[in-house]
Amino acid sequence: MNSHSALQTAITHRIANSPEARITFAEYMDMALYHPEYGYYSSNTVKIGFKGGDFFTSVNLGADLGDLLAEQFVQMWEILGKPTPFYLVEMGAGQGLLALHILKYIQVKYPNLFTALQYLIVEKSPGLKQEQQERLQGFSVRWCSWEEISPNSITGCFFSNELVDALPVHQFILEGGELREIYLTVQGEKEAQEAKNLSPSPNYELTEVAAAPSTPRLAEYFDLVGINLAQGGYEDGYRSEINLAALDWLSIVADRLQRGYVITIDYGYPASRYYNPRRSQGTLQCYYQHRHHNNPYINIGQQDITAHVDFTALERWGDRCGLEKLGFTQQALFLMALGLGDRIAALSYQQIPVSELLHRRQALHQLIDPTGLGGFGVLIQSKGLTKEEASQALKGLSVPELGK
């Protein structure tokens, strides 16, 4: 049995052995992405990059994101009084490229910080963890689980780049003005019972059903973000996602951080845009070999499944967890404030072949393209800062002046 069929079997078994023979979409997405043996991120099927990959990130364009993030980390270290150790905790480190760029840059440019630095990676994917370990040989990096990080033990910065969008989401639909959750079952009651004794190559069709929410947290979520689904022009059939896993994740981060910062970089919107009545089918997207579509029930375990991030939820939940919002900006503005504009300007004076110059210029402009990577959100939160430390504006949140 191949991994695709094996994962289908595991999912169908889960459905058959669940109360009422159904599971939430969040459970399905969690298995499709993170099943210990056959999930997209747990197996070796995940591919990132331009050649043969399913998607690419800012890191695949070069070292600039890592270099400029390092500049922000340096300022954070200085604001905190240059503590030793100063922890950088990267959550979901992909291929390890961002870590490599950050560590190389700090090693060369800021040796004093490099000496004080403790770099931790929290990575759920065994395949990616192995790739990270191979790429980061020669650097002092420690991989650990959340359980291995003690509460209130970190002074430094937790950060992630395109992590939250891949956390499992609940899906809901409005029916008769009521909030209903999307569940998955197998086609027909008879098939659901037979699923307990599946043949090696099951051919059962997953079917969506809508029913009462699995948890009161779904309705409470809209109180958190200030959205009233009973008003504002939401029609029957309106469908979208709720990322409770993102709130649970942020609770853990806030619990482990004693003093310092949290940086979240991802694609998403404030709640008012996310749950706009006109965005009536949500934001769920799947990525397979650089093509995106909205069917999460094909290529199971072989494609990425994502949903945009509700930054309002992260801000407000963070506030409940003791994280103070310092600022929310676009990646383009964040990187320009940290010096990307200077890098673009310097290209005119570099003696390099024209083809290389054009490639470099294109990569830099992709990082700030407002319709693409440049439109990503950057949320920065803090915890445990003194009034004086909190009053010092972060470079990445300063709006660059025109002409600079």
Side-chain angles (χ1 to χ4, degrees):
M1 189 186 307
N2 61 38
S3 61
H4 177 69
S5 297
L7 182 56
Q8 284 184 301
T9 299
I11 290 170
T12 316
H13 270 298
R14 170 77 72 87
I15 291 172
N17 291 285
S18 296
E20 302 182 63
R22 68 191 188 196
I23 60 174
T24 65
F25 181 84
E27 290 177 88
Y28 167 78
M29 183 172 169
D30 183 63
M31 291 189 73
L33 294 181
Y34 301 109
H35 184 280
E37 293 179 78
Y38 310 120
Y40 178 73
Y41 281 103
S42 301
S43 64
N44 291 319
T45 56
V46 57
K47 297 179 179 66
I48 308 172
F50 296 108
K51 293 183 178 179
D54 296 315
F55 58 92
F56 72 92
T57 71
S58 298
V59 180
N60 298 109
L61 294 170
D64 300 281
L65 177 64
D67 293 353
L68 297 173
L69 267 175
E71 288 287 346
Q72 184 59 85
F73 295 145
V74 170
Q75 187 201 17
M76 289 173 169
W77 179 57
E78 292 170 344
I79 289 174
L80 294 174
K82 299 184 178 180
T84 300
F86 178 79
Y87 286 92
L88 289 178
V89 185
E90 185 176 1
M91 302 166 290
Q95 298 166 301
L97 286 168
L98 185 58
L100 181 66
H101 299 155
I102 290 169
L103 288 165
K104 278 186 171 182
Y105 189 84
I106 293 177
Q107 184 180 37
V108 173
K109 298 281 188 177
Y110 299 98
N112 290 341
L113 171 55
F114 190 77
T115 301
L117 190 61
Q118 291 282 333
Y119 203 104
L120 306 183
I121 292 179
V122 179
E123 179 58 64
K124 198 170 182 177
S125 165
L128 289 176
K129 179 178 177 180
Q130 182 179 349
E131 188 172 355
Q132 294 159 15
Q133 290 173 333
E134 292 172 357
R135 179 162 279 120
L136 296 170
Q137 287 180 12
F139 288 102
S140 180
V141 177
R142 181 159 63 93
W143 283 260
C144 54
S145 66
W146 285 116
E147 291 73 23
E148 293 171 306
I149 303 176
S150 301
N152 292 309
S153 63
I154 298 298
T155 296
C157 182
F158 284 91
F159 69 101
S160 63
N161 179 48
E162 293 192 58
L163 167 73
V164 181
D165 65 85
L167 296 178
V169 295
H170 293 261
Q171 286 199 311
F172 71 90
I173 190 169
L174 294 184
E175 291 184 344
E178 296 292 325
L179 180 71
R180 308 275 282 174
E181 183 165 7
I182 301 295
Y183 295 84
L184 291 177
T185 186
V186 291
Q187 184 66 47
E189 183 178 352
K190 180 173 177 286
E191 291 88 342
Q193 293 301 318
E194 292 173 350
K196 295 180 180 179
N197 299 295
L198 288 174
S199 59
S201 299
N203 190 28
Y204 293 92
E205 182 179 350
L206 292 173
T207 303
E208 293 185 347
V209 294
S214 60
T215 169
R217 293 180 67 194
L218 297 183
E220 292 165 0
Y221 183 92
F222 290 103
D223 293 333
L224 174 72
V225 300
I227 296 293
N228 186 348
L229 295 175
Q231 299 177 354
Y234 295 95
E235 298 182 355
D236 266 16
Y238 179 87
R239 176 171 174 153
S240 194
E241 313 87 25
I242 298 172
N243 196 337
L244 297 181
L247 307 187
D248 296 336
W249 161 79
L250 196 59
S251 294
I252 294 172
V253 172
D255 177 71
R256 303 305 194 266
L257 180 63
Q258 181 185 62
R259 199 164 73 93
Y261 304 88
V262 181
I263 300 179
T264 306
I265 304 174
D266 224 314
Y267 46 91
Y269 313 108
S272 59
R273 287 186 60 195
Y274 197 115
Y275 298 109
N276 187 303
R278 291 190 297 274
R279 185 173 282 110
S280 61
Q281 295 303 304
T283 70
L284 196 82
Q285 287 286 304
C286 305
Y287 292 86
Y288 182 68
Q289 298 180 351
H290 283 300
R291 296 180 180 178
H292 65 86
H293 60 89
N294 59 3
N295 186 352
Y297 307 123
I298 61 174
N299 308 317
I300 301 174
Q302 299 173 325
Q303 66 180 4
D304 196 16
I305 307 173
T306 75
H308 282 52
V309 175
D310 176 358
F311 280 102
T312 301
L314 295 185
E315 292 172 14
R316 295 188 178 180
W317 189 256
D319 186 61
R320 293 189 183 185
C321 297
L323 297 175
E324 180 182 352
K325 174 189 171 183
L326 296 181
F328 176 65
T329 188
Q330 288 185 323
Q331 177 172 294
L333 297 175
F334 179 71
L335 296 181
M336 290 294 284
L338 289 169
L340 186 63
D342 295 334
R343 292 184 172 218
I344 293 174
L347 286 176
S348 303
Y349 304 99
Q350 293 181 10
Q351 302 299 316
I352 56 177
V354 173
S355 60
E356 185 179 338
L357 174 67
L358 293 175
H359 179 76
R360 178 93 176 105
R361 186 185 298 276
Q362 181 186 33
L364 292 175
H365 279 284
Q366 277 187 272
L367 288 173
I368 57 174
D369 178 0
T371 64
L373 296 171
F376 278 27
V378 181
L379 174 64
I380 305 184
Q381 298 159 295
S382 69
K383 180 184 174 186
L385 303 189
T386 66
K387 286 186 177 180
E388 182 179 350
E389 290 167 347
S391 68
Q392 298 187 53
L394 295 176
K395 290 180 182 177
L397 295 177
S398 63
V399 179
E401 296 177 28
L402 294 176
K404 288 196 175 182

